[in-house]
Amino acid sequence: MKRLSRRHTRIIFLALLVGIGVIAVFLIRGAGGDSPRNLKASETCLEDIFSGDPDPLERLISPDSSFTADWSREVIERSLQLTCKNSTDSATVVMTAETRDGTRQDWFSSLKNHKQVGKKSEASRFDVGTEALAWDNAAAIYSECKPYSEGSSHTQGMKRPYLSIVATATGTASSNNDEHRTDLANVAVKMLYEAQMQTGCQESFVPPSGPPRIES
């Protein structure tokens, strides 16, 4: 049996090193990309929402170099819909706000379109709007709409206008602990106050100074 020359031994050794490096990079990316970093409000879907307090979103999504944010504002049959989407390759947090017409029961029935929303009996409550509920990976707010003027374009013709706010977390943003529910409720509250400013659904309000208090 022939002995390998020094040159061949060196080539094999270098090939092994390259192979180990490729596997290490693959494992790191598979585990969620590069290291998480601090999130700036200006990088989010709407800076005004997270101005001075992007921490809840940062904890939910653990932003890395793949972080992206998108904001959309649509009018669908006189109803205004706002969407704030923040995501990485492995996690997504979406907040939506929409003006609707109906009762509190109508609102809860509409939440079934979001698979992260569970049974009402499984939800924790928090004191914002008319009714606010939080699950492991979703938070929702029902807030009666009180336009600052009659005939608001976003509530015209509605008998019982309200704002429906939903925040959902998927991928590695999913979890099942109390801090996670509080953070989801927090971003939902931020979306509510932004929606109120854009729709005029409340004459006056004061944004909360801290996170909402979750009740068991």
Side-chain angles (χ1 to χ4, degrees):
M1 184 176 178
K2 288 185 176 181
R3 281 188 174 183
L4 293 173
S5 67
R6 282 187 177 181
R7 181 170 176 272
H8 287 160
T9 302
R10 189 177 300 167
I11 290 172
I12 292 171
F13 180 69
L14 290 173
L16 285 171
L17 286 178
V18 171
I20 291 170
V22 170
I23 291 171
V25 169
F26 176 80
L27 289 175
I28 290 171
R29 287 182 177 176
D34 51 1
S35 300
R37 59 181 177 80
N38 293 333
L39 184 65
K40 298 177 182 177
S42 58
E43 297 175 296
T44 63
C45 56
L46 189 66
E47 183 174 358
D48 291 345
I49 292 181
F50 295 103
S51 180
D53 185 26
D55 292 353
L57 180 61
E58 183 179 298
R59 284 191 294 268
L60 286 168
I61 207 165
S62 299
D64 56 27
S65 62
S66 68
F67 178 81
T68 59
D70 296 292
W71 172 264
S72 66
R73 187 180 192 274
E74 298 180 90
V75 177
I76 304 172
E77 295 181 354
R78 297 197 310 272
S79 175
L80 179 65
Q81 182 172 314
L82 309 173
T83 303
C84 172
K85 181 179 180 181
N86 300 271
S87 58
T88 65
D89 288 342
S90 60
T92 301
V93 174
V94 178
M95 299 116 70
T96 60
E98 186 176 2
T99 52
R100 287 175 169 265
D101 189 13
T103 64
R104 198 180 304 195
Q105 185 56 46
D106 294 330
W107 164 73
F108 190 76
S109 295
S110 72
L111 296 181
K112 294 175 183 178
N113 295 325
H114 303 273
K115 64 181 182 180
Q116 295 86 0
V117 170
K119 297 178 181 178
K120 208 168 188 177
S121 58
E122 299 170 342
S124 301
R125 297 179 181 276
F126 55 104
D127 189 19
V128 175
T130 312
E131 183 169 6
L133 305 170
W135 293 267
D136 287 341
N137 294 302
I141 302 171
Y142 169 86
S143 182
E144 292 178 355
C145 191
K146 301 172 182 177
Y148 60 80
S149 62
E150 292 294 328
S152 169
S153 60
H154 302 304
T155 58
Q156 190 172 8
M158 295 183 181
K159 294 181 178 179
R160 303 186 69 171
Y162 67 89
L163 277 171
S164 175
I165 311 295
V166 181
T168 59
T170 56
T172 56
S174 304
S175 189
N176 59 354
N177 57 62
D178 291 343
E179 183 183 48
H180 188 78
R181 286 195 180 200
T182 299
D183 284 338
L184 268 175
N186 200 330
V187 297
V189 170
K190 292 178 184 298
M191 192 64 169
L192 168 64
Y193 284 103
E194 177 62 29
Q196 286 183 329
M197 286 190 287
Q198 294 211 23
T199 61
C201 274
Q202 189 164 315
E203 188 174 351
S204 61
F205 59 88
V206 178
S209 57
R213 186 170 60 89
I214 300 290
E215 299 174 1
S216 301

